[in-house]
């Protein structure tokens, strides 16, 4: 990405235009060979601009490349994006209701995998209402989110156990959690590997991790790629990042586990088994648990076409 293009984007964000970007290795497999998949993406609803997305040529993972440094993203979340999404009272009420309903459906879906009462962590919990159905059933819960306005509402208005922090800074007790959920936030964090490392330390043996990601495109490709998503998980790459941290995927599905409010998202449920799963991670990719660059191009074209025909 040329400095002049970077400046243009920073100007759009209203941020310091001297920030630099650099190329990163694949966040899942560590491979340094990545190839451009989409140069111009959605900056917001009406504006498109340059912010390249690359595909890892080893495992098929899609992520923004090049990227800014950590401090940039702290400012980005703390300020521009945070302010942009502060909810008005009426939509807070809606969000509370939706999150509660999602939590209830999630509890019912997971009931058979879980102990009667346990300890839960919600990473990127927003207001924190997905934990309410668990709290009601006697679970110990904690959630965190970098958006101050959400967290303060949850804490002050609803008395929920939420903290305002970036998930990279979580401090968790070792082997203390029966359930960790990351519902669509691993795509936004600065360092997904650090977040997963922390989750791995905190989960109990046979504990459950639930990942939710946007999954396959449900609209035109030009809107699928947007600036707030630093990476894009599909079913296969959710399973890969689970395995990298010792979780055995037991179910990967497009079935709307948490109801109809987030159409098209995909879920991966994994059970923590530790080293025996971690060891197999790189060999699995070598043996074909991967998507090629052409697979990804084919997939994007396919969804672009069927989504255009829908309208
Ligand atoms: Zn990779």
């Amino acid at each position: 990405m040329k400095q002049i293009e970077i400046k243009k984007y920073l100007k759009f964000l209203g941020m310091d235009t001297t920030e630099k970007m650099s190329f990163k290795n694949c966040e899942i497999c560590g491979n340094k060979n990545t190839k451009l998949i989409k140069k111009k993406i959605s900056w917001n609803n009406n504006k498109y601009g340059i912010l390249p997305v690359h595909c890892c040529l080893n495992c098929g993972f899609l992520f923004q490349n090049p990227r800014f440094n950590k401090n940039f993203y702290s400012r980005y979340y703390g300020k521009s994006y945070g302010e942009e999404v502060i909810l008005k009272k009426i939509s807070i009420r809606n969000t509370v209701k939706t999150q509660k309903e999602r939590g209830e459906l999630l509890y019912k879906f997971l009931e058979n995998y879980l102990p009667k009462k346990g300890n839960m962590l919600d990473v990127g919990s927003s207001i924190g209402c997905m934990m309410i159905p668990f709290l009601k059933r006697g679970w110990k819960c904690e959630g965190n989110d970098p958006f101050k306005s959400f967290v303060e509402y949850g804490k002050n208005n609803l008395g929920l156990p939420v903290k305002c922090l970036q998930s990279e800074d979580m401090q968790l007790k070792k082997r203390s959690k029966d359930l960790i959920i990351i519902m669509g936030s691993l795509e936004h964090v600065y360092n997904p590997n650090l977040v997963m490392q922390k989750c791995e330390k905190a989960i109990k043996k046979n504990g459950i991790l639930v990942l939710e990601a946007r999954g396959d495109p449900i609209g035109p490709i030009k809107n699928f790629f947007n600036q707030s998503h630093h990476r894009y998980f599909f079913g296969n790459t959710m399973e890969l990042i689970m395995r990298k941290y010792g979780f055995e995927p037991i179910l990967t599905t497009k079935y709307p586990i948490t109801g109809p409010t987030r159409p098209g998202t995909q879920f991966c449920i994994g059970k923590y088994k530790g080293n025996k799963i971690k060891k197999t991670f790189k060999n699995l990719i070598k043996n074909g648990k991967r998507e090629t660059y052409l697979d990804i191009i084919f997939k994007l074209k396919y969804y672009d076409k069927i989504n255009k025909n829908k309208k």
Side-chain angles (χ1 to χ4, degrees):
M1 203 169 165
K2 291 178 193 138
Q3 197 56 38
I4 188 163
E5 295 166 346
I6 298 173
K7 261 191 182 168
K8 212 171 159 189
Y9 176 59
L10 290 166
K11 245 188 196 162
F12 165 78
L13 294 176
M15 295 185 69
D16 179 5
T17 55
T18 58
E19 303 267 6
K20 297 267 186 309
M21 293 181 109
S22 58
F23 278 99
K24 305 281 177 209
N25 293 352
C26 171
E27 294 173 312
I28 291 186
C29 74
N31 183 42
K32 73 170 196 298
N33 297 319
T34 66
K35 193 170 171 182
L36 181 70
I37 209 110
K38 191 94 177 74
K39 190 172 178 188
K40 214 171 172 183
I41 66 159
S42 165
W43 281 1
N44 67 20
N45 294 336
N46 311 307
K47 199 169 163 63
Y48 300 87
I50 293 171
L51 197 60
V53 176
H54 277 220
C55 171
C56 169
L57 296 180
N58 184 43
C59 73
F61 188 49
L62 298 187
F63 61 107
Q64 269 182 13
N65 209 10
R67 302 269 301 279
F68 294 104
N69 63 26
K70 185 176 192 252
N71 291 339
F72 167 84
Y73 292 102
S74 304
R75 286 196 287 277
Y76 172 82
Y77 281 119
K79 206 178 108 206
S80 30
Y81 188 65
E83 298 301 331
E84 200 178 292
V85 296
I86 285 182
L87 295 173
K88 293 189 183 115
K89 268 192 181 163
I90 190 150
S91 60
I92 277 230
R93 230 176 288 148
N94 250 335
T95 310
V96 166
K97 185 170 170 275
T98 306
Q99 285 185 9
K100 247 175 156 169
E101 285 166 3
R102 273 167 50 79
E104 183 65 32
L105 289 168
L106 181 70
Y107 179 82
K108 287 196 171 136
F109 193 86
L110 292 179
E111 208 174 355
N112 292 334
Y113 299 105
L114 299 174
K116 276 259 170 298
K117 281 180 191 178
N119 202 316
M120 172 193 192
L121 166 70
D122 185 347
V123 179
S125 60
S126 163
I127 300 170
C129 299
M130 273 190 87
M131 298 185 288
I132 291 175
F134 290 83
L135 287 163
K136 266 203 313 210
R137 290 171 170 95
W139 277 63
K140 283 201 173 118
C141 299
E142 67 172 288
N144 59 68
D145 202 282
F147 297 141
K148 220 173 154 189
S149 54
F150 289 137
V151 171
E152 282 186 349
Y153 190 88
K155 212 162 60 179
N156 302 335
N157 296 49
L158 305 169
L160 293 170
V162 279
K163 281 185 192 155
C164 184
L165 51 86
Q166 287 192 277
S167 43
E168 288 89 347
D169 300 326
M170 294 186 289
Q171 290 187 350
L172 304 167
K173 231 171 126 189
K174 223 177 161 187
R175 304 273 165 264
S176 62
K177 304 291 174 200
D178 300 281
L179 170 67
I180 298 178
I181 65 172
I182 313 180
M183 311 302 273
S185 33
L186 211 51
E187 290 148 313
H188 303 287
V189 300
Y190 172 68
N191 186 342
N193 284 297
L194 185 52
V195 174
M196 286 296 287
Q197 265 171 36
K198 296 209 163 181
C199 290
E200 190 197 347
K201 273 195 187 141
I203 197 82
K204 289 181 188 170
K205 191 86 189 275
N206 292 314
I208 297 292
L209 172 65
V210 181
L211 295 182
E212 181 185 20
R214 269 175 97 207
D216 299 328
I218 54 164
I221 294 307
K222 67 171 192 171
N223 295 331
F224 178 67
F225 294 109
N226 67 66
Q227 57 141 348
S228 73
H229 284 76
H230 301 318
R231 55 195 69 81
Y232 300 83
F233 288 98
F234 299 130
N236 191 53
T237 37
M238 272 197 286
E239 289 188 350
L240 284 176
I241 201 155
M242 280 234 176
R243 289 187 162 274
K244 186 177 179 182
Y245 292 97
F247 291 88
E248 183 169 36
I250 46 180
L251 180 69
T252 305
T253 182
K254 292 182 189 178
Y255 171 75
I257 290 173
T258 60
T261 48
R262 288 189 181 178
T265 63
Q266 290 183 17
F267 299 86
C268 183
I269 298 172
K271 201 176 235 190
Y272 187 63
K273 295 286 177 188
N275 283 341
K276 75 171 187 192
I277 297 296
K278 282 169 122 172
K279 269 190 226 153
T280 62
F281 162 69
K282 285 214 164 155
N283 267 336
L284 274 174
I285 297 174
K286 232 184 254 169
N287 292 331
K289 188 168 174 53
R290 60 192 292 262
E291 285 173 296
T292 66
Y293 183 77
L294 289 177
D295 292 338
I296 298 289
I297 295 279
F298 180 85
K299 180 192 295 213
L300 295 178
K301 278 190 180 157
Y302 169 79
Y303 281 109
D304 205 32
K305 200 171 164 198
I306 57 166
N307 292 330
K308 262 179 200 153
N309 290 344
K310 264 188 212 162
K311 295 207 166 166

